[in-house]
Structures are given as structure tokens and as C-alpha cells.
Amino acid sequence: MTSAPPQPPAPPARRTYSYLGPAGTFTEAALAQVPEARGGVWKSVRNVAEALEDVVEGRSDAAMIAIENSVDGGVSTAQDALATMPGVRIVGEYLVPVRFVLVGRPGATLDDVSLVAAHPVAYAQCLRWLGRALPAHAHIPAASNVASALELLDGTSGADAAISPPGILEHHDLELLAEDIGDNPNAVTRFVLVARTVAPQPPTGADKTSLIVELPDDHPGALLEMLEQFATRGINLSLLASRPIGDALGRYRFVIDADGHIQDERMADALLGLRRFSPRVIFLGSYPRADRAVVRYPERYSDDIFVEARDWLRGLITGEPGVG
């Protein structure tokens, strides 16, 4: 009796990624930077909370969300969601230049435009260009950067043109009326890839650690005490933003990005200090910086110095000869 030939192994399951859609958004452009996402399932969602819930409940392996903009600052909805949704970790960050195009229905020209649809944030970032190119225009607010263009096509918008991300042209038949219409050529949005709670990746030397910290109470110098946990260990903060906790006036949590990795001795020591100081410290993750810039710090804050100091204290406690 002959045995059945061995079956080939089943192909690995495709990973699923949630992102703020529909197709053509800046969030989709950020997800396109993730090598392991290529060939995966990209799931379009309507908001940050839905993206993170997909991750926590296992419908997606990871979610891409916007966390900060160089012009408008922190994205409060994302910061608040990360503060209140347990079981997630940031595993990477990605930068997307903020570029806007003006699009119209097929066959339209710039001379046809008097009414422009745009999300209020996008509209504010294109005001100077609009003032020069379309000084007599009027504005119709749109729910999102992509919705402004899609509503031109489905006839639900009375606008003549829309301000949208360039990626919209890869997915829809629209007329490009003008490109690079943003007023700030250096504008960039920072995105983070969020997965379920996992051990941090090994340090690369060019890392960032994200935290959310609540002050223990409202007293003079409370914020300074929190910041000293980093300053006395030579740790630079690249982001410090306050968000109301919501249970009472004057109660705030702080969103923090600190240069370094949790496995760095100075960072680990700072986190221990924060834990002693604050009633609630949320560790969001240690991950490679998008710019891959190596973190620099004075020699007195090197890992070896922290290890030597602990060894010295241990020697004092155990009474080792020659330790004093």
C-alpha cells in the first residue's frame, strides 16, 4: 500500500492592517512605508478608536494612526485613545510629508473654480495659495481630505474643486488642477504603527520611548518633579503635550516622547522614578525613530556608568573590601 504524498505546508496567513480610509489618505501613504504590510490585507476604518479596537479584539494585527503634525501639533483623538485603551503598543513610527493637490471633475479647469471643498485643517494649510490663485473663492467644509474629492464625483457636493492628498489620484478619475498648494513645504505628519502588547524590539541606538504620565496631585512644582526624572538622567524629550483627564477641571495627563529605549539603563532608571512618583504611568512602547537619528547623550549617562553605580551600592550593602 502506497502512502499519500506529503502535502505542502499551508501558506502563512496574510496579516491585516487597519488604517484611516478610504484609499488615498495620508494614513494609507504611511502604511505603504511598512515593508511587512506589503501583500497584507489593508482594512479601511472610519476613525482612530475603530482602528485600535480592531487590534485589541484581534480583527487586525496592527493599525496605523496619525499622532502628531508639525503644523497643528498633537492629534488629540489619537493621544486620548492610547491613554484609555489598554493592551496596545507602538511598534514603529513613520513620517509622511503633507502635500495637497487641488482636484476637480474630469475636464475641469482652474478657471472654473469658485467654490472649494476642503477639510478645515487642510483648508487652513492652503490659505496663502488660495488667496493668490483663487482670491474670490468660497469654502465648503468637508468631513475629511478624501471625502472632499469623492463628493465631487458622486454629486453630493456643489463645489467646483477639492483640496485632497495626492494619493487620491491613484484611485479615482479626477482632474489635477494644481499641485503642491500647501503653504508650508516642510509640513509633515508623524504616524505610529500600533499592535497588541508585545515585548519591545531590541534597541538600535536610534530609538524613541512613548509614555503617558499623570501627575499625582496638583501642587507647586509637580510638573517639574516629573520632568526631573528625565533631566537628571540625561534624557531629552522630543514631545511633551498635556491632555485633560476629563474627571475634573485642572486634571491633566502628559503625553511624552523621550529619546532612547527602555533597555537603556538611563531610560529604565527614569521609568522606575516615574513609577514611584506617578499614580499612573502608561508605557506605549520603545521603537526605532523614523529619522533613524542616533541618540546622543553625555558620557556620564552611559549604560556603564549606571551599572557601575549599582555595583558600587551593592558593594556597600554587602561590605565588600575596598568599597567606600
Side-chain angles (χ1 to χ4, degrees):
M1 180 176 179
T2 60
S3 58
Q7 297 297 313
R14 296 170 69 194
R15 292 173 61 84
T16 300
Y17 297 84
S18 292
Y19 75 99
L20 186 63
T25 61
F26 290 118
T27 312
E28 185 192 49
L31 188 54
Q33 297 182 31
V34 182
E36 58 268 29
R38 294 163 194 162
V41 177
W42 293 16
K43 181 185 177 187
S44 171
V45 299
R46 292 163 294 186
N47 54 62
V48 169
E50 184 180 356
L52 294 180
E53 286 171 0
D54 278 352
V55 172
V56 171
E57 297 176 10
R59 291 187 294 270
S60 292
D61 296 285
M64 185 68 77
I65 62 172
I67 195 75
E68 184 183 6
N69 180 270
S70 62
V71 175
D72 296 305
V75 180
S76 58
T77 53
Q79 294 172 344
D80 292 346
L82 289 171
T84 55
M85 189 168 292
V88 294
R89 287 283 188 273
I90 297 174
V91 296
E93 72 167 357
Y94 304 86
L95 304 179
V96 176
V98 178
R99 302 285 184 267
F100 293 108
V101 296
L102 188 71
V103 296
R105 298 178 184 87
T109 68
L110 194 58
D111 293 335
D112 301 326
V113 178
S114 60
L115 198 55
V116 176
H119 186 274
V121 173
Y123 182 72
Q125 293 189 29
C126 300
L127 276 176
R128 287 201 297 271
W129 184 90
L130 289 166
R132 292 191 304 269
L134 299 168
H137 81 278
H139 170 224
I140 297 179
S144 73
N145 292 322
V146 171
S148 64
L150 296 185
E151 289 168 359
L152 290 178
L153 295 176
D154 65 19
T156 57
S157 173
D160 306 306
I163 296 173
S164 291
I168 194 74
L169 295 164
E170 299 175 11
H171 301 281
H172 300 282
D173 183 20
L174 290 156
E175 194 76 35
L176 176 63
L177 304 178
E179 54 187 338
D180 285 332
I181 66 173
D183 298 329
N184 187 341
N186 300 314
V188 64
T189 297
R190 175 177 163 241
F191 293 83
V192 291
L193 188 65
V194 180
R196 286 184 289 279
T197 299
V198 292
Q201 304 169 54
T204 66
D207 302 295
K208 182 179 291 185
T209 294
S210 293
L211 309 161
I212 295 176
V213 182
E214 293 182 11
L215 297 181
D217 50 49
D218 186 15
H219 66 267
L223 178 57
L224 177 60
E225 291 174 29
M226 183 189 76
L227 296 178
E228 284 177 340
Q229 305 300 323
F230 300 100
T232 58
R233 295 166 176 90
I235 297 173
N236 181 60
L237 303 184
S238 56
L239 173 67
L240 177 65
S242 62
R243 292 293 305 152
I245 294 173
D247 55 0
L249 283 173
R251 291 255 297 141
Y252 291 88
R253 60 173 65 99
F254 289 85
V255 183
I256 297 170
D257 284 342
D259 291 349
H261 193 280
I262 191 174
Q263 293 184 27
D264 297 337
E265 293 287 342
R266 62 191 179 280
M267 184 67 75
D269 205 50
L271 292 182
L272 291 175
L274 284 173
R275 181 65 176 176
R276 293 190 296 267
F277 162 80
S278 171
R280 189 162 188 243
V281 179
I282 301 172
F283 174 72
L284 293 177
S286 289
Y287 48 89
R289 296 167 56 101
D291 59 11
R292 300 301 188 263
V294 175
V295 176
R296 307 293 182 185
Y297 52 88
E299 181 58 30
R300 66 182 181 275
Y301 298 118
S302 70
D303 282 4
D304 290 344
I305 297 297
F306 279 87
V307 172
E308 190 277 333
R310 278 206 306 271
D311 290 343
W312 170 79
L313 180 60
R314 189 178 300 111
L316 294 178
I317 295 171
T318 59
E320 291 181 15
V323 176

